[in-house]
Amino acid sequence: MDNNKIWFVTGASKGLGRSLVLQLLDQGYKVAATSRSIDDLRKLSTAADFLPLAVDLKSETSVKEAVAATIRQFGRIDVLVNNAGYGQVGGLEELSDAEVRANFDVNVFGLLNVTRAILPHMRAQQSGHIFNISSIAGFTGTFPGFGVYCATKFAVDGLSESLSAETKPFGIKVTIVSPGYFRTDFLASGSLGVPAQPIAAYQAVRDVQNAHQHEINGNQAGDPEKAVAAIINVAAVENAPLHLFLGEDAYGMAYQKMDAIKADLETWKEVTVNTAIEA
């Protein structure tokens, strides 16, 4: 592996981001890492190859300052991992406009702020690799109570696919990482928003919410250390995938979605194809 690459990782104080930073440093990479709390980042390492940065991803100024500091410290950025984000549970009728926009501000617009700030440097060096951490919920959305979160991750998937086509001429790769359930603190109270005004009628949403908070949390099958090791390995290959699903559960759910689409396509083929203007 080429451990001369400089990595820039958002959301690095916990979860997959934290595991990724620690593995990278252990392997000799130089890493710039962001979080809202500089103190949390400083607990990770005191190594000279580690640059902790307190960043408000919702602020373009804050993001640009962090990118500039990284370039000053390390000279370049080779790999960007847009990892920062949080889950939001709640039925679409339950969630307020403010709750919805807050989730998009971090999961989508924060990602865009970082990507826009780093792309000029990658274009100048004619190389780079962007990993956008999405979710299996960015590929299939049949989860009651997770419509807004799914919407943010569907947005990440869509913009990443377009980004991959836009940046290919500059030698910049894009990989969408779509994990299933991994045993991190993602479902803990600090990473999972709940509706401020729940509606009692949505029992299915409450059941899903309770399951995620009290049954799935802490019992996820995925090993986060193996997930981040996979990302590091993919960053080293010549022909990196656009879509990287992680977890046996993600693998199964992806095929369920594709099979469902194929079934709808074939069942409704006559309606679908018979929409042309008659000659």
Side-chain angles (χ1 to χ4, degrees), residues 15-278:
L16 290 179
R18 181 180 187 275
S19 295
L20 176 60
V21 167
L22 291 176
Q23 280 198 31
L24 288 169
L25 292 172
D26 187 59
Q27 294 180 30
Y29 290 94
K30 293 180 174 65
V31 181
T34 82
S35 175
R36 288 171 295 179
S37 171
I38 192 72
D39 291 333
D40 289 342
L41 289 175
R42 285 173 176 158
K43 295 174 185 176
L44 296 183
S45 177
T46 58
D49 289 342
F50 179 56
L51 178 62
L53 298 160
V55 177
D56 177 5
L57 296 181
K58 295 178 287 184
S59 165
E60 286 188 285
T61 299
S62 179
V63 169
K64 288 178 180 178
E65 288 173 352
V67 171
T70 304
I71 298 298
R72 287 195 303 270
Q73 179 87 357
F74 298 131
R76 58 190 289 130
I77 296 172
D78 298 294
V79 184
L80 163 61
V81 182
N82 279 309
N83 170 71
Y86 71 94
Q88 176 65 60
V89 67
L92 293 177
E93 184 183 348
E94 296 176 317
L95 294 174
S96 67
D97 181 75
E99 288 171 311
V100 173
R101 289 179 185 275
N103 204 208
F104 270 85
D105 278 344
V106 175
N107 292 7
V108 181
F109 294 108
L111 177 150
L112 284 169
N113 285 340
V114 177
T115 302
R116 281 194 298 262
I118 287 179
L119 275 175
H121 301 282
M122 289 186 170
R123 279 194 297 106
Q125 65 200 28
Q126 292 287 291
S127 67
H129 198 156
I130 298 171
F131 286 88
N132 286 336
I133 308 300
S134 182
S135 167
I136 185 59
F139 188 76
T140 180
T142 52
F143 306 102
F146 280 91
V148 167
Y149 177 71
C150 288
T152 68
K153 293 304 185 179
F154 267 70
V156 169
D157 280 28
L159 69 87
S160 298
E161 289 184 357
S162 290
L163 181 64
S164 71
E166 293 170 0
T167 60
K168 186 176 181 179
F170 310 115
I172 302 170
K173 305 172 188 175
V174 176
T175 296
I176 304 163
V177 182
S178 300
Y181 289 105
F182 280 80
R183 199 168 299 182
T184 68
D185 51 8
F186 180 74
L187 296 178
S189 58
S191 299
L192 183 66
V194 297
Q197 300 293 332
I199 298 173
Y202 283 101
Q203 187 58 50
V205 172
R206 294 288 78 74
D207 291 344
V208 169
Q209 178 180 334
N210 289 331
H212 279 78
Q213 290 178 305
H214 305 298
E215 297 171 21
I216 298 173
N217 187 30
N219 295 304
Q220 300 96 321
D223 183 343
E225 300 303 321
K226 292 180 179 178
V228 300
I231 293 171
I232 295 171
N233 289 335
V234 167
V237 302
E238 181 67 26
N239 296 310
L242 173 57
H243 291 277
L244 177 64
F245 292 90
L246 293 177
E248 188 173 354
D249 53 352
Y251 181 89
M253 284 187 276
Y255 265 103
Q256 288 175 7
K257 170 68 177 282
M258 290 188 287
D259 289 342
I261 291 174
K262 288 179 182 178
D264 281 347
L265 280 171
E266 295 310 314
T267 300
W268 295 92
K269 179 180 178 180
E270 186 174 353
V271 173
T272 300
V273 301
N274 290 327
T275 53
I277 296 173
E278 297 293 337

